[in-house]
Amino acid sequence: MTKATNAAPVTKPKGRLRWVVLGLLCLLALINNIDRLALSVAAPAMQADLGLTATDIGLLGSAFALFYAIGQLPSGWLIDRYGTRLLGGAVVLWSLATAAMGMFNTMGWFVVARAWLGLAEAPSLLATNKIVTHWFPKKEQGIANASWDAALKAGPAFFTGILVWIVAAFGWRTLFFIAGVAGIVFAVLFLLSYRNPDDHPRLTTEERDYIRQDHDSGSPKTDHVPWGALFTRPTMWGMMAGYFCNMWVYQIFLTFIPLFVINEFGIEFKSMGLIVSVPWIGAIIGDLASGLLSKRLSERAGWTTKKAKMRIITVSLTFQAGLVALIPLHGAGMSNSTGLAFTITLMAFALGFNGAVVAHAWSMAAEVTTTETVASVASLQNFGGFLGATVSPLVAGIIIDATDSFNLVFFSAAIVGVLSLVFYHFGVRRPIITATSHQEAA
């Protein structure tokens, strides 16, 4: 595989079509996460209306994550084999699943809808990551991936208040219907507008050369690498285990922040929109700041893009674990309002570091394999991650119902975060597949 070096790069072109494509991906990510966020926002109203418990809400979060994880396994191969335009059909399917949540009344059917959503969304971020590898040189892939991951967080950061208002004014079912319609509108836009770089009529030769400056397009193809062979690579297992632990932490925040704020601080549902948005603003800042930092680090003498991304991952995991461990203090000794502000600030910084890890974990796929197999490698990492996201909401829900507290949930999440650091630091060392050989580098 061609390594990023400090050799003179191709001059940055005047064309900026790659950033237009990134804008489309960011819009997709925003819609994607609103579909996931809808359950978290609707949960208190669903509990009041249908008598659901915290364990029930955790089970619905786990149903999505489990089937999302299972869907990773074929999705990466399908995208590598048939291309990224499969994404349009996936958006239609998951939008229908979101709308279906508003039609059901029992846990059994809610689980079916969340499982359907998980399977349908499985190709989405894999295709997004592959599009980034096609449209950006490696030194810009960190900020590109950080941008769409930040857009994922824009839903909870900037739209939670609107979503809460929709539920309060029109009911939780309307929220699911609106989210489903928005996805179908995007699918039409994507299918009409997206093309790969080689097929895009408005991409200049100058910008195409800039994009390809450190790609491996001139090296032997690896389309026929056995998919199962990826499981024999220690680095692949390191990425899967590290992402398992990081997504364990992320999914707890995504599923339970509204319930945490209501239960621990007595905040009314209609007043929580701005409060629960703050941690996700922190996640966006962490995403974008880490992307810019990794680009600057990779341009230093003696640094590679892989070294820069790994440094961001390991440092971020260290700070995340420490911050999550402090959340159970709930601002001990402070007034309720000051304690709430203290805790929300901790969450904002923790999610900022979590976002930095997510963005650069996605970028690592391009560092350890070739362009032709990047979706397959990313799919297995994401498979591992969402096994963690499957377990954590259910475990958290059981703990909350048993202890009537979130303390143990966050203490255990901090420990899991430390394990993520260990797996990435010691497990992600060598290439999985190179462009010149199907064997690991010596």
Side-chain angles (χ1 to χ4, degrees):
M1 184 192 311
T2 302
K3 298 279 187 186
T5 69
N6 292 295
V10 177
T11 302
K12 186 173 291 188
K14 295 180 180 178
R16 302 180 66 81
L17 187 59
R18 65 194 186 282
W19 300 106
V20 175
V21 171
L22 180 61
L24 185 66
L25 298 180
C26 289
L27 178 59
L28 166 67
L30 173 62
I31 292 171
N32 180 305
N33 215 34
I34 285 179
D35 285 343
R36 302 184 193 185
L37 176 66
L39 174 64
S40 177
V41 172
M46 293 174 70
Q47 284 186 313
D49 187 20
L50 303 174
L52 302 183
T53 65
T55 301
D56 291 331
I57 299 300
L59 176 60
L60 294 179
S62 293
F64 165 84
L66 174 61
F67 282 87
Y68 185 87
I70 293 171
Q72 298 300 298
L73 299 178
S75 293
W77 180 86
L78 287 169
I79 291 167
D80 281 333
R81 179 69 177 83
Y82 295 106
T84 53
R85 282 177 61 81
L86 290 174
L87 181 58
V91 177
V92 172
L93 290 175
W94 90 53
S95 298
L96 293 174
T98 299
M101 279 290 292
M103 300 171 60
F104 298 143
N105 294 290
T106 64
M107 271 298 295
W109 283 110
F110 286 144
V111 169
V112 168
R114 294 298 288 183
W116 173 7
L117 178 67
L119 282 174
E121 281 199 4
S124 61
L125 301 187
L126 303 175
T128 298
N129 188 52
K130 181 117 180 173
I131 290 170
V132 166
T133 65
H134 283 162
W135 274 93
F136 288 85
K138 285 184 178 179
K139 68 177 183 179
E140 291 183 348
Q141 287 175 15
I143 185 59
N145 281 322
S147 295
W148 64 252
D149 190 58
L152 277 173
K153 314 304 192 316
F158 301 116
F159 288 85
T160 298
I162 296 173
L163 301 183
V164 168
W165 174 79
I166 290 172
V167 173
F170 304 104
W172 59 269
R173 297 182 189 277
T174 301
L175 174 60
F176 289 111
F177 293 145
I178 292 175
V181 170
I184 292 174
V185 171
F186 172 85
V188 174
L189 174 64
F190 177 83
L191 291 171
L192 290 176
S193 63
Y194 178 74
R195 298 292 182 273
N196 287 327
D198 290 340
D199 302 322
H200 206 296
R202 294 196 293 120
L203 181 64
T204 64
T205 300
E206 182 184 18
E207 186 172 10
R208 182 179 288 108
D209 290 342
Y210 177 77
I211 290 169
R212 290 177 172 176
Q213 64 180 284
D214 53 7
H215 288 191
D216 48 42
S217 56
S219 302
K221 300 294 184 181
T222 56
D223 293 346
H224 302 295
V225 174
W227 181 80
L230 297 176
F231 287 101
T232 68
R233 305 301 203 262
T235 292
M236 188 74 261
W237 284 101
M239 293 170 71
M240 291 169 63
Y243 210 50
F244 175 100
C245 296
N246 195 61
M247 291 304 296
W248 177 295
V249 179
Y250 174 83
Q251 198 72 4
I252 286 174
F253 281 115
L254 183 63
T255 305
F256 287 108
I257 285 181
L259 289 177
F260 171 80
V261 168
I262 291 171
N263 291 349
E264 298 295 327
F265 296 97
I267 303 299
E268 293 183 2
F269 175 79
K270 64 182 181 181
S271 304
M272 74 174 183
L274 179 61
I275 295 170
V276 301
S277 295
V278 172
W280 298 103
I281 294 173
I284 292 172
I285 294 172
D287 266 323
L288 298 178
S290 68
L292 292 171
L293 179 59
S294 69
K295 182 176 183 295
R296 288 184 176 274
L297 290 175
S298 68
E299 292 171 343
R300 287 185 173 183
W303 284 67
T304 63
T305 52
K306 181 177 184 292
K307 179 180 178 181
K309 292 166 187 174
M310 280 300 301
R311 187 63 56 85
I312 293 291
I313 288 172
T314 54
V315 171
S316 296
L317 284 168
T318 301
F319 280 103
Q320 175 187 264
L323 290 164
V324 172
L326 293 175
I327 291 174
L329 295 178
H330 297 174
M334 303 177 184
S335 65
N336 191 63
S337 59
T338 304
L340 174 61
F342 172 78
T343 304
I344 291 296
T345 301
L346 287 178
M347 288 184 167
F349 277 97
L351 275 172
F353 287 115
N354 185 280
V357 175
V358 171
H360 290 82
W362 278 101
S363 294
M364 281 302 298
E367 300 292 341
V368 298
T369 191
T370 62
T371 302
E372 290 77 23
T373 53
V374 70
S376 295
V377 169
S379 73
L380 293 186
Q381 178 178 240
N382 216 27
F383 169 72
F386 273 84
L387 288 181
T390 296
V391 178
S392 65
L394 184 57
V395 171
I398 292 171
I399 291 173
I400 294 163
D401 283 337
T403 65
D404 198 29
S405 170
F406 285 78
N407 290 353
L408 186 55
V409 171
F410 288 111
F411 277 132
S412 59
I415 295 171
V416 173
V418 173
L419 292 176
S420 182
L421 170 63
V422 171
F423 288 128
Y424 270 112
H425 180 70
F426 293 103
V428 183
R429 296 280 182 162
R430 297 181 293 174
I432 294 173
I433 296 171
T434 66
T436 56
S437 171
H438 294 175
Q439 305 299 318
E440 281 195 25

